[in-house]
Amino acid sequence: MQAVGSIGNMWDGFRESFDFVSGANDVIVIRHPDGRTVSSPFSVQTNASTVNRHLLGKDVDIYLNGRRTQLKMLINDDGRLVFPQWDNTLTPQASALGQLPLRDGKNSIDFRLENQENTVIASTFLFLWAKHDKIVVVDIDGTITRTDAGGVVASSELGLKMGLGHSHEGVTEAMAAIESAGYRLLFLTARPITRADATRRYLNAIGKDSGVPMPSGALITSALGTFNTMAAVWKDIKSYKVRQLMEVQELFDCPMTGRAHCC
């Protein structure tokens, strides 16, 4: 029976490792001293366009920390979630965003089919930071991992189940020291959004052996999906990451040499 269970776990890991169609980025919300609240995009890719086509056009409720909010999104023809009430954008209006009962730091977000509380389309996290917060942007690819390709394999479900390790020694201790110095962590990667969940699990797993867990931080991936990321982002990863940093900078409305820092 144990052997059967091990085979089943390996199969689950293999299947989850090759989920190339769904995922969600974390959301960063910045609260300014004047009360203005701005956010990064609510980037969510579902499998509705390729697997569950009956979900196309369905409304989705947003749950914050387990409670239903007034925000709603819609699954468009590409399987992405959009805000139809705001011209199919990926960001809610500031007035609606400001009404959310956000907690400082990390909040959970669930995207559930309307009137079907138990049907979760995707889950991710929302990080509420203040304009004066100091941010350290950590490049996962080659900074957390020893190499890009090896890190992708190690962070897959199959890699985690096999116990593969591919991170630099002492990386979680370094990140913990940065956090204890008062910095917020933002993890950046050129991996597609379909690898977001696997990457979160990888970050949570690599500190277990050392006894120093990886501090919590927002995760931003390419929002283009697997094959579009391979076709566009991976041809010029440096330019992609610069654009991502500029988008974060705009949330803070400050020069790149000011509150936003990169390591």
Side-chain angles (χ1 to χ4, degrees), residues 190-206:
R191 301 176 190 191
I193 197 169
T194 55
R195 296 286 83 207
D197 285 342
T199 302
R200 290 188 189 95
R201 288 189 286 267
Y202 169 71
L203 292 175
N204 290 333
I206 60 176

Side-chain angles (χ1 to χ4, degrees), residues 16-17 19 21-26 43-46 109-111 120-125 140 154-157 160 189 191-205 219-222:
E16 293 174 9
S17 292
D19 176 9
V21 294
S22 59
N25 266 337
D26 288 340
S43 295
V44 182
Q45 175 70 59
T46 76
I109 302 182
D110 292 328
F111 301 88
V120 179
I121 296 298
S123 296
T124 188
F125 298 99
I140 293 177
S155 65
S156 68
E157 288 297 321
L160 290 174
T189 178
R191 301 176 190 191
I193 197 169
T194 55
R195 296 286 83 207
D197 285 342
T199 302
R200 290 188 189 95
R201 288 189 286 267
Y202 169 71
L203 292 175
N204 290 333
L219 173 66
I220 300 297
T221 72
S222 164

Side-chain angles (χ1 to χ4, degrees), residues 241-252:
K241 290 183 177 178
V242 169
R243 289 195 301 272
Q244 294 298 95
L245 290 175
M246 292 179 66
E247 290 182 5
V248 174
Q249 171 196 338
E250 291 176 0
L251 296 178
F252 284 88

Side-chain angles (χ1 to χ4, degrees), residues 17-240:
S17 292
F18 292 94
D19 176 9
F20 293 133
V21 294
S22 59
N25 266 337
D26 288 340
V27 179
I28 301 171
V29 175
I30 305 301
R31 182 168 288 162
H32 290 254
D34 60 3
R36 181 166 50 100
T37 305
V38 295
S39 80
S40 63
F42 283 58
S43 295
V44 182
Q45 175 70 59
T46 76
N47 62 12
S49 61
T50 56
V51 179
N52 296 319
R53 298 190 62 83
H54 64 282
L55 297 178
L56 297 177
K58 297 288 187 180
D59 290 326
V60 175
D61 291 323
I62 296 180
Y63 282 68
L64 178 70
N65 298 320
R67 295 188 177 183
R68 185 179 178 182
T69 71
Q70 296 302 311
L71 291 180
K72 288 183 177 292
M73 300 187 78
L74 178 141
I75 305 175
N76 70 8
D77 290 341
D78 295 324
R80 287 190 172 272
L81 298 193
V82 296
F83 289 102
Q85 64 272 47
W86 297 303
D87 298 324
N88 293 329
T89 62
L90 301 182
T91 54
Q93 286 189 345
S95 58
L97 193 63
Q99 294 176 5
L100 296 178
L102 299 175
R103 300 193 297 238
D104 179 64
K106 189 177 183 179
N107 298 259
S108 66
I109 302 182
D110 292 328
F111 301 88
R112 310 182 188 186
L113 283 182
E114 185 180 38
N115 300 323
Q116 298 183 41
E117 183 175 342
N118 294 325
T119 306
V120 179
I121 296 298
S123 296
T124 188
F125 298 99
L126 181 153
F127 289 81
L128 175 62
W129 295 337
K131 176 180 170 60
H132 63 264
D133 282 341
K134 298 174 291 183
I135 311 299
V136 170
V137 180
V138 185
D139 184 3
I140 293 177
D141 314 314
T143 301
I144 298 294
T145 63
R146 293 198 295 271
T147 63
D148 292 357
V152 171
V153 173
S155 65
S156 68
E157 288 297 321
L158 185 60
L160 290 174
K161 289 182 182 295
M162 293 178 63
L164 299 180
H166 199 78
S167 61
H168 287 292
E169 184 177 353
V171 68
T172 55
E173 290 86 348
M175 295 301 106
I178 290 172
E179 183 192 47
S180 65
Y183 290 87
R184 306 279 197 176
L185 295 179
L186 169 58
F187 296 101
L188 178 62
T189 178
R191 301 176 190 191
I193 197 169
T194 55
R195 296 286 83 207
D197 285 342
T199 302
R200 290 188 189 95
R201 288 189 286 267
Y202 169 71
L203 292 175
N204 290 333
I206 60 176
K208 290 183 177 180
D209 292 340
S210 67
V212 180
M214 179 68 75
S216 181
L219 173 66
I220 300 297
T221 72
S222 164
L224 296 179
T226 300
F227 299 109
N228 287 334
T229 295
M230 294 169 62
V233 172
W234 289 359
K235 289 194 300 185
D236 191 354
I237 291 177
K238 181 178 179 180
S239 295
Y240 155 75

